[in-house]
């Protein structure tokens, strides 16, 4: 059957309505697959995402016209979907959009096939507009849904995870309409394929292959691991991989945390040069959530267990922690004593006069002379001379985000530091343990160490005085009485310093350490280790009174009073021994010569008065400061359970209520006056 | 209007469209004048309805794509390399498939089953297919080799499965030549790359000596995107190792597990690129081949060619590790080397070397090593003495030579420097020896005391200086660097690691003994100090010679005085003696002032040297300065 073509010039109003119907059907068949027709005209688009409108020739019979008008929205849907597929097939719209567009274009192909079936029907003369309207119903509905989705995506310019969220919402929205829902699920499944592939690579291998930035995890690749400096790791852990919230598909919302962690862990494992034994599995989107969530959880479990195993067993985290505790928390007594004995002279110098290499070699010596020699990790210990003393550092840290911040930000090295004030250990850690011993936690260790170490140093000084005071035994009884007050003060100082130390080491660090060990034996992933460790350090910092500025200031002052008292005693020792005994007994010669080395630093400002006066001054100062400290601790809110350990210190320092009694005796006003002066 | 009415039947149109699919124009569908597409003939087109026009316009798009692809295939006669060739081949295959489809369309049209609309459905899929093929072809049109593969690889990033499949197909095809080249290179070390497409290139260097260092390199532009630079370097090293084994070591054994590897490469290579999982496998396989090959080269060099022993002997003889031998050699060489350089003969020197070997512990050294040891003379300038041009050499040939050859000049330079310091030590100890013996001899000449005293002091100062410096060079620099290198070498997994370790060793020694570029200042001062040592030596020599002459004269005079005939001395004799004595005293006082002058100069130089050391950023040099000036003897302003 060969038909001659109908020329355009025929005006339609010359044709009877029944023939008009055939012509219109032929026109519609073209219009419905986006091609031009005779009497129906497509209008120009103003906006690429707009729905296309059509104009029907005005001479068409009005009732036919209504029928055609009814059918035309299908052509608009087709137009939108077709434009969507063409555009979103381009690379820059991302893999999810590509896959979605592909699925939609398959729907379009089906639809075109349907139109050609209509055409055959038409050619055999069986098609009327009414029949046509009946036939297209199904496609009308589904194409309508697809075009809605396309329009929403176009308008919101979504890509990647956002598209998936959108589709997910659609699925949820069509619960009542199962056919529509099935359609959405088909689209969703297609669109999910590339995304799930990325997800699989990430949770099973820790690799991100995401050229268009669609995946919910982003790799802020700054440096390769090989050139990663040690202190980078703190940042590394938090910042290398980040979640991009806007890219999380709705259905993965509850698990994004473990998705991130799983890949992160795997990366750490890979960077340690271990190969991963798990296989990549295909994750599919199903309407029932269970499937992929479980797969993700399983992958996470594998990753966290493997890494935990690596850190705990292969890298011997506990051994490391113990080793660090030996040195930074002064747990290994004989090492500290050896080290202090070797370094005491160097440490009491000005920091500018200290050669760090010398300290390093002394440290080395101390490590090898003491029982620390058995520690397999001892060679990672280093010395460090910091720029500012502990008090300034703590003030600086504690003042962050308060109104005082500005004051401390510009703190310079005002006066010269003593080596003891700037000295600290540092510890060299390698990947992956640098995750746990990162810069922050090492800094915490250093703070605690500096505090403890300074106390220890002061204690040694006071003990030195105690030792040289033994010469007083050979004084005549009458003369010895004059020195009694000095010796009593020395004894009080010793008591105070030792109890401070006892408090920090035995009552704070040890219990916290035990709790920490207990906790760490139960952890299930590395993040928990990090949390436990940080918590441990924070608790130690807090209970060692480092985080309460007032207390720290007073303790520092207390210690400095002890130091100046000790220096004073060492200076005067020679004179009063000479005065009492006439000449120096040989056995004491040495200790005085030693003392002279210390004598040189510091001008003799306290020596202006008589010996008794000076001692009384020191006594007053010491007592006042100590009582101030007790007062402060006493005034801390007892209900606040944060500081309950501190009260033990109160009882320890104020043993027998010695100071409380004195407090009453001296009267409150007197005390306050002194403290402010 | 007549022509319009002649009209075109739908079946004719269908026929023309089918022709256009193959790029053939018809009556209605004409080729664009200056393009690949088709248009509807302006005259005949008027007889078509807009419906037909629309359908035809959509359909002829397929013809355009076909023409584009065909053009790309036909233009391929140009030399585009094997990988480009394989791309064309796969495009041709795809076109063949497409022709098959057209044939079936033709058959349908003959059966009158086809309408234009139906054709739209029919061509939808092949059109998409052709479209992406054309896109790929366009992206690859000006590329070749690895770059082309990278371009195709990029298409894998598309999210839709059909594009991915297509890209996989094309990629598999284009990777085949690459894969062959790669496996040839990795397993046999052969490069079969006429069109420079592979990411490794060979330079035309024929000498074996340069093979390891210069012959092969990575062609960065040709690295496919799925191989990182790091991996490419490893691949380079693997093939290089094999070449090294074959050409230099004459070791023709095949790699163990070669067949399995070959299979792995041919089977999984292309696939590996699509499934990341397998790509990990491939990369581990690459890594393994690399490690095995490198280990093999390393083992061969260590075991068969005794690389480490060679390094050891070079350290022993060229860097003065074998003290007794060097000392003895120097003793034997003194008379020879004091001559001007032009009077030296290699054979006499070689004979001396032989003698030195035979009487020292060096005689227990391996025969092979001793044979490699030889004497060399540097090119000489006019006033050079033998000391300036004498060099010990170590002749390493074969594979080891290939590795060590580039370091020869450094060894020469190091030997020169160390030899000079050693000579100073030697000179000073001889001076000391002479002082002790002569002291007794000239005990009676009271006038000599102040002079000899000054010389003694200066010499002691020099000895202190030299011993500290020598100690620093030999122990702190050489020994420490050597220990570090031994550690590195033991950990080494490949020959390159060993070479790097060796180079680090050499450069650290070079900078340690102040022979590198940055230490010119140090060298200048050291040179001045050394010259002073030498002049002091000759001064002492003259002093003792003069003194012995004076002593002889004195004794002769005494003899005459106490002669038995009892006549004593004549007046002339007495006067002559007095004159001689005066001259001698004169000489002594001038020598003394000379020595004192020198010692201030020496001190100045030492102070300069210490200052330089103290200002250095190197901690060890600072420590050396402390050691030189341990009791603050030299006041540093």
């Amino acid at each position: 059957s060969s038909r001659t073509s109908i020329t355009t010039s025929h005006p339609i109003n010359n044709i009877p309505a029944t023939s008009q119907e055939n012509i219109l059907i032929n026109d519609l068949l073209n219009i419905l697959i986006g091609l031009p027709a005779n009497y129906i005209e497509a209008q120009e688009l103003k906006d690429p995402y707009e729905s296309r409108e059509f104009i029907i020739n005005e001479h068409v019979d009005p009732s036919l016209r209504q029928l055609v008008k009814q059918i035309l929205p299908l052509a608009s849907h087709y137009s939108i979907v077709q434009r969507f597929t063409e555009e979103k097939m381009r690379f820059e719209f991302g893999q999810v959009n590509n896959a979605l567009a592909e699925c939609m274009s398959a729907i379009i192909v089906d639809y075109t096939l349907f139109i050609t079936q209509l055409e055959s029907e038409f050619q055999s003369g069986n098609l009327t507009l009414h029949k046509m309207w009946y036939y297209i119903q199904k496609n009308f509905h589904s194409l309508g849904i697809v075009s809605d989705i396309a329009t929403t995506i176009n308008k919101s310019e979504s890509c990647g995870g956002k598209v998936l969220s959108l589709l997910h919402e659609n699925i949820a929205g069509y619960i009542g309409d199962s056919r529509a829902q099935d359609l959405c699920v088909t689209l969703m499944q297609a669109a999910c394929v590339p995304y799930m592939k990325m997800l699989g690579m990430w949770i099973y291998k820790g690799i991100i292959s995401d050229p268009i930035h669609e995946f919910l995890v982003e790799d802020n690749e700054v440096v390769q691991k090989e050139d990663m400096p040690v202190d980078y790791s703190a940042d590394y852990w938090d910042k290398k991989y980040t979640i991009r919230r806007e890219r999380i598909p709705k259905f993965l919302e509850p698990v994004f945390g473990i998705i991130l962690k799983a890949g992160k862990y795997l990366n750490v494992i890979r960077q340690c040069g271990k190969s991963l034994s798990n296989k990549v599995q295909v994750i599919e989107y199903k309407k029932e959530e269970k499937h992929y969530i479980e797969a993700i959880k399983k992958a996470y479990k594998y990753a966290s267990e493997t890494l935990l195993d690596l850190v705990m067993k292969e890298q011997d985290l506990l051994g490391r922690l113990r080793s660090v505790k030996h040195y930074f928390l002064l747990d290994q007594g004989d090492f500290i004593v050896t080290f202090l004995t070797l370094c005491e002279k160097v440490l009491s110098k000005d920091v500018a006069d200290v050669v760090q290499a010398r300290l390093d070699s002394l440290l080395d010596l101390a490590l090898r002379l003491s029982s620390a020699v058995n520690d397999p990790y001892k060679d990672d210990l280093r010395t460090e001379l910091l720029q500012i003393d502990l008090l300034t550092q703590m003030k600086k840290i504690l003042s962050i985000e308060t109104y005082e911040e500005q004051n401390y930000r510009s703190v310079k090295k005002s006066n010269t530091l003593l080596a003891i004030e700037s000295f600290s250990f540092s510890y060299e850690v390698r990947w992956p343990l640098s995750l746990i011993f990162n810069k922050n936690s090492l800094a915490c260790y250093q703070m605690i160490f500096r505090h403890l170490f300074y106390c220890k140093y002061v204690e040694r000084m006071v003990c030195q005085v105690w030792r040289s005071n033994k010469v007083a035994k050979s004084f005549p009884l009458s003369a010895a009485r004059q020195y009694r007050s000095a010796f009593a003060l020395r004894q009080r100082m010793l008591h105070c310093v030792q109890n401070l130390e006892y408090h920090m080491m035995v009552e704070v660090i040890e219990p916290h350490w035990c709790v920490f060990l207990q906790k760490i034996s139960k952890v299930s992933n590395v993040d928990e280790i990090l949390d436990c460790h940080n918590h441990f350090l924070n608790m130690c910092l807090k209970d060692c009174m480092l985080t309460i500025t007032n207390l720290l200031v007073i303790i520092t002052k207390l210690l400095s009073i002890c130091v100046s008292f000790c220096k004073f005693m060492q200076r005067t020792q020679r004179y009063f021994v000479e005065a009492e005994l006439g000449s120096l007994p040989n056995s004491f010669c040495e200790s005085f010569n030693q003392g002279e080395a210390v004598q040189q630093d510091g001008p003799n400002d306290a020596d202006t008065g008589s010996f008794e006066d000076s001692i009384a001054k020191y006594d007053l100062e010491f007592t006042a400061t100590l009582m101030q400290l007790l007062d402060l601790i006493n005034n801390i809110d007892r209900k606040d359970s944060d500081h309950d350990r501190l009260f033990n210190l109160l009882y320890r320092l104020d043993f027998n209520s010695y100071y409380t009694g004195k407090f009453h005796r001296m009267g409150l006003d007197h005390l306050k006056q002194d403290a402010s002066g | 209007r007549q022509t319009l009415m002649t009209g075109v039947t739908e079946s004719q149109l269908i026929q023309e469209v089918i022709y256009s699919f193959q790029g053939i124009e018809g009556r209605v569908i004409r080729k664009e004048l200056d393009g690949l597409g088709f248009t509807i003939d302006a005259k005949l087109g008027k007889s078509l309805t807009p419906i037909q026009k629309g359908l035809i316009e959509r359909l002829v798009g397929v013809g355009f794509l076909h023409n584009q692809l065909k053009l790309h295939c036909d233009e391929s006669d140009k030399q585009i390399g094997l990988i480009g060739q394989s791309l064309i081949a796969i495009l041709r295959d795809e076109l063949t498939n497409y022709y098959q489809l057209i044939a079936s369309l033709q058959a349908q049209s003959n059966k009158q089953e086809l309408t234009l609309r139906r054709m739209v459905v029919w061509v939808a899929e092949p059109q998409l297919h052709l479209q992406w093929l054309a896109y790929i072809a366009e992206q690859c049109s000006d590329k070749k080799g690895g770059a082309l593969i990278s371009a195709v690889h990029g298409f894998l990033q598309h999210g839709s499965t059909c594009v991915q499949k297509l890209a996989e197909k094309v990629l598999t095809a284009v990777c085949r030549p690459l894969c062959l080249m790669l496996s040839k290179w990795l397993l046999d070390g052969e490069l079969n790359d006429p069109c420079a497409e592979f990411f490794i290139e060979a330079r035309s260097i024929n000498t074996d000596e340069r093979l390891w260092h210069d012959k092969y390199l990575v062609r960065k532009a040709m690295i496919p995107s799925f191989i990182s630079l790091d991996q490419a370097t490893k691949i380079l090293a693997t093939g290089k190792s094999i070449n090294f084994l074959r050409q230099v070591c004459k070791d023709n054994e095949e790699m163990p597990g070669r067949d399995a590897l070959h299979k792995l490469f041919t089977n999984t290579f292309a696939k590996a690129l699509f499934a990341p999982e397998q790509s990990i496998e491939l990369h581990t396989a690459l890594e393994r081949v690399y490690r095995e090959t490198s280990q093999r080269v390393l083992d061969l060099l260590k075991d068969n060619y005794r690389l480490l022993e060679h390094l050891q002997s070079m350290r022993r003889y060229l860097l003065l590790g074998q003290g007794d031998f060097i000392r003895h050699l120097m003793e034997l060489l003194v008379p020879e080397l004091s001559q001007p350089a032009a009077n030296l003969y290699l054979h006499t020197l070689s004979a001396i070397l032989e003698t030195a070997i035979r009487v020292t512990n060096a005689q227990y050294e391996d025969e092979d090593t001793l044979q490699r040891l030889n004497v060399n003379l540097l090119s000489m300038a006019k006033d050079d003495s033998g000391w300036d041009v004498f060099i010990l050499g170590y002749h390493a040939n074969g594979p080891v030579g290939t590795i060590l050859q580039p370091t020869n000049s450094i060894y020469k330079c190091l030997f020169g420097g160390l030899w000079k310091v050693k000579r100073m030590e030697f000179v000073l100890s001889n001076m000391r020896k002479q002082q002790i013996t002569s002291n007794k001899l000239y005990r009676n000449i009271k006038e000599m005391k102040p002079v000899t005293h000054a010389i003694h002091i200066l010499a002691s100062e020099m000895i202190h200086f030299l011993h500290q410096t020598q100690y620093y060079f030999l122990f702190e620099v050489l020994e420490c660097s050597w220990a570090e290198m031994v550690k590195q070498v033991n950990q080494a997994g490949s020959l390159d690691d060993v070479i790097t370790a060796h180079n680090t060793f050499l450069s650290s020694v070079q900078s340690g003994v102040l022979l590198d570029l940055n230490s010119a200042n140090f060298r200048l001062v050291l040179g001045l100090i050394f010259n002073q040592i030498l002049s002091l030596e000759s001064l002492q020599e003259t002093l003792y010679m003069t003194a012995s002459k004076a002593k002889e004269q004195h004794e002769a005079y005494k003899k005459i005085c106490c002669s038995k005939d009892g006549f004593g001395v004549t007046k002339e004799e007495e006067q002559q003696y007095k004159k001689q004595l005066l001259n001698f005293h004169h000489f002594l006082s001038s020598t003394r002032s000379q020595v004192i002058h020198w010692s201030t100069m020496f001190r100045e130089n030492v102070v300069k040297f210490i200052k330089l050391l103290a200002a250095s950023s190197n901690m060890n040099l600072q420590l050396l300065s402390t050691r030189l000036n341990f009791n603050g003897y030299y006041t540093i302003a």
Side-chain angles (χ1 to χ4, degrees), chain A residues 307-542:
Chain A
L307 182 60
L308 196 65
D309 214 51
L310 181 84
V311 168
M312 293 295 251
K313 295 215 178 106
E314 247 166 84
Q315 303 286 335
D316 189 23
L317 177 66
L318 285 178
R320 282 278 174 189
L321 281 169
R322 278 199 195 100
S323 154
V324 168
K325 185 176 175 249
H326 285 335
Y327 307 122
F328 283 88
L329 306 183
L330 309 194
D331 161 300
Q332 189 121 39
D334 69 327
F335 161 71
I336 291 298
V337 171
T338 320
F339 180 68
L340 261 175
T341 318
L342 287 173
C343 290
E344 214 161 19
K345 263 190 198 160
V346 182
L347 288 178
S348 49
K349 284 187 195 163
D350 248 16
V351 73
D353 300 333
V354 175
V355 184
Q356 200 177 348
R358 189 173 159 69
L359 273 178
D360 267 327
S361 53
L362 287 177
L363 170 67
D364 232 32
L365 200 61
L367 281 172
R368 277 159 182 74
L369 285 176
S370 64
S371 64
V373 73
N374 297 321
D375 181 8
Y377 307 119
K378 61 176 180 299
D379 291 330
D380 292 331
L381 195 64
R382 302 273 181 281
T383 61
E384 196 176 347
L385 292 171
L386 299 164
Q387 294 291 323
I388 46 174
D389 64 9
L390 180 65
L391 186 61
T392 326
Q393 188 192 4
M394 290 311 299
K395 276 183 178 169
K396 216 167 162 180
I397 292 170
L398 293 173
S399 68
I400 287 174
E401 286 172 16
T402 66
Y403 64 96
E404 284 174 79
E405 187 177 353
Q406 217 54 44
N407 300 347
Y408 291 106
R409 184 170 285 169
S410 52
V411 167
K412 300 236 165 44
K413 269 204 298 179
S414 49
N415 41 10
T416 49
L417 284 175
L418 288 182
I420 181 73
E421 289 168 319
S422 94
F423 175 79
S424 173
F425 284 146
S426 70
Y427 200 75
E428 200 170 280
V429 268
R430 274 166 290 271
W431 185 258
L433 284 181
S434 48
L435 277 179
I436 292 148
F437 297 105
N438 53 34
K439 219 179 170 187
N440 286 344
S441 53
L442 277 181
C444 290
Y445 273 119
Q446 284 189 341
M447 290 176 220
I448 303 177
F449 168 76
R450 289 169 81 182
H451 194 49
L452 290 175
F453 193 66
Y454 193 64
C455 289
K456 197 87 197 164
Y457 175 78
V458 173
E459 187 202 336
R460 276 178 71 90
M461 270 184 106
V462 182
C463 284
Q464 204 85 47
V465 172
W466 175 82
R467 224 175 56 186
S468 45
N469 281 348
K470 289 290 140 195
V471 79
K473 275 186 181 165
S474 39
F475 289 176
L477 191 65
S478 56
R481 214 166 273 150
Q482 298 169 13
Y483 302 103
R484 197 176 286 154
S485 65
F487 296 169
L489 178 59
R490 184 252 299 138
Q491 193 55 41
R492 291 219 311 278
M493 285 179 173
L494 197 59
H495 173 260
C496 168
V497 174
Q498 279 176 339
N499 275 305
L500 257 179
E501 275 174 36
Y502 177 85
H503 168 75
M504 291 192 284
M505 316 249 283
V506 181
E507 291 191 351
V508 174
I509 294 174
E510 275 309 318
H512 283 315
W513 172 255
C514 289
V515 173
F516 171 58
L517 279 190
Q518 264 171 17
K519 269 196 208 159
I520 210 168
S521 60
K522 286 181 209 141
V523 290
S524 61
N525 64 39
V526 172
D527 278 295
E528 277 178 46
I529 296 183
L530 273 173
D531 287 345
C532 283
H533 191 228
N534 284 343
H535 183 251
F536 164 66
L537 286 174
N538 286 338
M539 291 307 282
C540 285
L541 273 180
K542 196 196 74 193

Side-chain angles (χ1 to χ4, degrees), chain B residues 160-209:
Chain B
S160 69
T161 31
C162 70
V163 178
Q164 270 176 13
K165 271 195 190 125
L166 194 68
E168 276 176 29
K169 210 191 238 173
V170 178
L171 197 57
T172 319
V174 293
C175 277
R176 207 169 290 135
L178 177 76
C179 173
L180 275 176
M181 287 183 214
L182 192 63
S183 67
K184 262 254 175 309
W185 170 250
L186 284 177
L187 301 173
D188 302 321
E190 287 168 24
L191 277 180
N192 182 13
D193 181 21
C195 309
E197 294 170 292
F198 197 39
F199 57 87
I200 286 163
E201 68 174 306
R203 287 211 210 130
S204 49
I205 288 170
N206 291 325
T207 51
D208 285 349
E209 270 73 42

